[in-house]
Amino acid sequence: MRPLAERPEDVVLVFADRFNSGDPAAIAELYEEGAVFVPEPGTPLTGSDAHAANAGFMALGLPIKVSPRHVYTSGELALLIVDWVIEGAGEEGPVRLEGTATDVARRGPDGRWRYVLDNPFGTAASAG
């Protein structure tokens, strides 16, 4: 499994590797304490709720494929724009989830980059 990213452009590759490992604890290490995960538009989560939502995506048992589009860095912060897809044969039939994430990562005191904001569906409107 890949170690935490030392460069902002590697954050999404580490995420995909750890997601595809099937280990929710390995994914949780990629987030700062207090980080926000938005599993569906308009639903920001933090802490154990965020980790549980991420584990829910992993529970599909299907791999994620990521295609970084842009990485913009300013000092200790980076904006990551990433196309992603999770697809395959699920227990209840075909599954296809996809989006363009708008994420923010920060370099920690240890020099490793972690998510501060993980918004997998980017600018998608809330269902409400």
Side-chain angles (χ1 to χ4, degrees), residues 1-62:
M1 186 174 340
R2 290 179 187 237
L4 294 175
E6 293 183 6
R7 304 176 323 152
E9 56 269 27
D10 294 334
V11 172
V12 296
L13 302 176
V14 172
F15 179 90
D17 181 62
R18 288 175 176 229
F19 183 97
N20 294 337
S21 79
D23 181 358
I27 285 289
E29 291 176 355
L30 293 172
Y31 293 83
E32 282 191 359
E33 186 174 332
V36 173
F37 177 60
V38 186
E40 60 184 70
T43 309
L45 302 174
T46 60
S48 61
D49 292 335
H51 298 311
N54 234 331
F57 283 102
M58 294 176 77
L60 293 169
L62 300 171

Side-chain angles (χ1 to χ4, degrees), residues 6-118:
E6 293 183 6
R7 304 176 323 152
E9 56 269 27
D10 294 334
V11 172
V12 296
L13 302 176
V14 172
F15 179 90
D17 181 62
R18 288 175 176 229
F19 183 97
N20 294 337
S21 79
D23 181 358
I27 285 289
E29 291 176 355
L30 293 172
Y31 293 83
E32 282 191 359
E33 186 174 332
V36 173
F37 177 60
V38 186
E40 60 184 70
T43 309
L45 302 174
T46 60
S48 61
D49 292 335
H51 298 311
N54 234 331
F57 283 102
M58 294 176 77
L60 293 169
L62 300 171
I64 191 169
K65 295 177 188 162
V66 296
S67 299
R69 196 187 291 191
H70 303 290
V71 177
Y72 302 111
T73 305
S74 177
E76 307 302 309
L77 292 175
L79 173 64
L80 314 169
I81 309 297
V82 182
D83 297 320
W84 62 271
V85 63
I86 298 171
E87 69 179 326
E91 290 183 14
E92 298 179 19
V95 172
R96 182 172 176 89
L97 298 172
E98 64 183 321
T100 299
T102 53
D103 300 334
V104 176
R106 181 180 6 235
R107 183 177 19 226
D110 62 356
R112 307 294 181 153
W113 290 82
R114 293 173 181 83
Y115 287 105
V116 178
L117 301 167
D118 182 0

